[in-house]
C-alpha cells in the first residue's frame, strides 16, 4: 500500500458526508471517489471537495485499482450487495451499522473478508466514543459495585426510514455499546413494539435483554417521540451513572448513591439477622473526559488497522454478533414479546 490510503465513499446522504469530512482531514488518507444515486448530493459534495471524483455508479469506484478502501454509508438493505461487490474487488471495507439485515448475509460477508484477506470494519461509532469508554472503565474498575441493570433511551421525532424499522435503525448502537461495556452478549431477549406510520415497520420498540451475571438491560428506541434523548443509565450496588450523549461538555454523571443493607438491632425485630434497607445519598461526580468526535476516532482507527494490519475493534465478527442479537429481538417482536434465545 503506498503512503496515502485512497478511499471511496458510497452513499452521501445524511451520514456519508461525515466520512468525507473526516477522511479528508487525515494526512494518511485521500478521498478519491464518492458515489450517490442522487445527482444533487453528488453536486453538493463536489462543491465542498472539488478534487473528489463523483459517480452515480459505485462499480466505477470498486473497479478502480488505485482505491484501497471503501466506506459503505448507503441504506441498510443495500449493505450486503454493495459490501459483497467491494470484497470481490479486493477492497478493504468500513460498512455502516448494522452490517446487514440478516445473520446469513452478515456471516457471508465476514467469511468473504477472511477469504480475501481484507479488513472488514463496522461503523459502531459509539465504541469509539470517549464517554462510552469512560463508562466502560468505571464499570470494569468496580466503581459501581455489582452491576444490577442498565437501560438506554434513544428517541427523537424522525428521521424516519422505510427500509428497516426503528429497531434495526437505532438499536445497533445500544446493542454494540452494552456488549462492548459488559464484554458479553445477551443470552435471551424479549421485545414489544408498534408501527403507527408505515404498515409493518415499527416506529417504537421496547427491548429487554438478559446478559450473563444476571444483568438486565433495557432499550427504548423510537423515531416517533417529541424529545431527542440519547441517554444510558447504569445502576450498581455502590454507585449509579448517567451518560447523556447530548451533553457535550460533561456527558457522564457518577452518583454516589445507593441502597445499603444494615443489620437491624431494634427490639421490635425478631432477631439480629434482620436487615434494614437504607438509602444513601452522596455527591455527584463529573469525570473529566477528553472529548473528540467519535467518528474521527473511528476513521483514524480504520486507517491505523490498514497500515499496521491490525484487527479493528468493531470488526466484522462484532458486527455479525450485533446482527445475531437484532434477529433474536425481531423474532420476539413478531411473536408478541415471547422470550427468545440469542442463538
Ligand atoms: N454510525 C452512526 O452514528 C450513523 C448515523 C446515521 C446513519 N448511519 C448509517 O448510515 C447509513 C446511511 O444512513 P443515512 O442516514 O446517511 O441515509 P440517507 O438515506 O440519508 O443516505 C443514504 C444515501 O445513499 C444513497 N444510495 C442508495 N443506494 C445507493 C447506491 N447503490 N449507490 C450509491 N449511493 C446510494 C442514497 O441516494 C442516499 O443519498 C445507514 O446504514 C445508517 O444506519 C450511521
Amino acid at each position: 500500500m503506498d503512503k496515502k490510503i485512497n478511499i471511496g465513499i458510497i452513499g452521501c446522504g445524511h451520514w456519508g458526508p461525515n466520512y468525507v469530512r473526516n477522511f479528508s482531514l487525515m494526512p494518511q488518507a485521500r478521498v478519491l471517489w464518492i458515489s450517490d444515486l442522487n445527482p444533487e448530493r453528488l453536486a453538493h459534495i463536489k462543491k465542498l471537495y472539488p478534487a473528489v471524483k463523483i459517480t452515480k455508479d459505485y462499480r466505477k469506484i470498486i473497479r478502480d485499482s488505485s482505491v484501497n478502501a471503501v466506506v459503505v454509508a448507503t441504506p441498510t438493505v443495500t449493505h450486503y450487495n454493495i459490501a459483497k461487490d467491494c470484497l470481490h474487488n479486493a477492497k478493504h471495507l468500513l460498512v455502516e451499522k448494522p452490517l446487514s439485515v440478516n445473520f446469513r448475509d452478515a456471516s457471508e460477508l465476514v467469511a468473504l473478508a477472511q477469504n480475501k484477506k481484507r479488513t472488514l470494519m463496522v461503523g459502531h461509532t459509539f465504541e469509539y466514543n470517549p464517554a462510552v469508554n469512560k463508562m466502560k472503565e468505571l464499570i470494569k474498575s468496580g466503581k459501581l459495585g455489582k452491576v444490577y441493570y442498565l437501560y438506554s433511551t434513544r428517541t427523537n421525532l424522525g428521521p424516519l426510514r422505510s427500509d428497516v424499522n426503528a429497531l434495526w435503525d437505532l438499536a445497533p448502537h445500544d446493542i454494540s455499546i452494552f456488549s462492548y461495556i459488559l464484554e458479553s452478549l445477551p443470552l435471551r431477549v424479549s421485545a414489544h413494539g408498534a408501527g403507527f406510520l408505515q404498515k409493518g415497520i415499527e416506529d417504537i420498540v421496547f427491548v429487554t435483554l438478559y446478559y450473563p451475571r444476571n444483568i438486565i438491560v433495557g432499550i427504548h428506541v423510537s423515531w416517533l417521540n417529541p424529545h431527542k434523548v440519547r441517554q444510558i443509565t447504569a445502576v450498581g450496588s455502590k454507585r449509579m451513572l448517567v451518560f447523556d450523549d447530548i451533553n457535550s461538555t460533561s456527558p457522564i454523571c457518577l452518583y454516589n448513591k445507593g441502597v445499603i443493607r444494615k443489620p437491624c438491632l431494634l427490639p421490635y425485630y425478631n432477631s439480629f439477622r434482620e436487615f434494614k434497607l437504607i438509602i444513601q445519598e452522596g455527591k455527584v461526580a463529573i469525570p473529566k473526559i477528553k472529548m473528540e468526535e467519535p467518528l474521527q476516532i473511528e476513521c483514524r482507527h480504520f486507517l491505523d488497522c490498514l497500515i499496521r494490519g491490525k484487527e479493528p475493534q468493531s470488526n466484522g465478527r462484532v458486527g455479525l454478533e450485533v446482527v445475531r442479537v437484532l434477529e433474536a429481538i425481531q423474532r420476539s417482536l413478531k411473536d408478541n414479546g415471547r422470550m427468545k434465545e440469542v442463538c
Side-chain angles (χ1 to χ4, degrees), residues 166-185:
L167 171 74
W168 287 78
D169 180 29
L170 301 169
H173 288 311
D174 305 289
I175 298 165
S176 84
I177 293 171
F178 291 129
S179 303
Y180 175 61
I181 287 179
L182 299 173
E183 295 179 352
S184 55
L185 288 170

Side-chain angles (χ1 to χ4, degrees), residues 168-211:
W168 287 78
D169 180 29
L170 301 169
H173 288 311
D174 305 289
I175 298 165
S176 84
I177 293 171
F178 291 129
S179 303
Y180 175 61
I181 287 179
L182 299 173
E183 295 179 352
S184 55
L185 288 170
L187 305 168
R188 289 174 300 282
V189 296
S190 104
H192 290 91
F196 301 105
L197 306 175
Q198 304 171 83
K199 199 164 181 275
I201 298 178
E202 287 80 2
D203 311 299
I204 58 154
V205 183
F206 298 91
V207 189
T208 310
L209 305 106
Y210 300 86
Y211 275 80

Side-chain angles (χ1 to χ4, degrees), residues 9-19 35-39 41 55-59 72-79 82 95-98 123-126 159 161 163-164 168-170 172-173 295 298:
I9 295 167
I10 305 176
C12 274
H14 159 70
W15 192 240
N18 293 317
Y19 280 109
S35 170
D36 202 289
L37 296 178
N38 181 345
R41 295 306 300 159
T55 176
K56 274 173 84 176
D57 180 6
Y58 76 83
R59 287 176 191 85
V72 179
T74 52
T76 300
V77 283
T78 67
H79 289 180
I82 298 178
V95 181
E96 253 316 320
K97 58 78 200 163
H124 292 169
T125 323
F126 280 92
R161 298 197 189 268
D163 64 326
V164 289
W168 287 78
D169 180 29
L170 301 169
H173 288 311
L295 189 65
E298 180 191 311

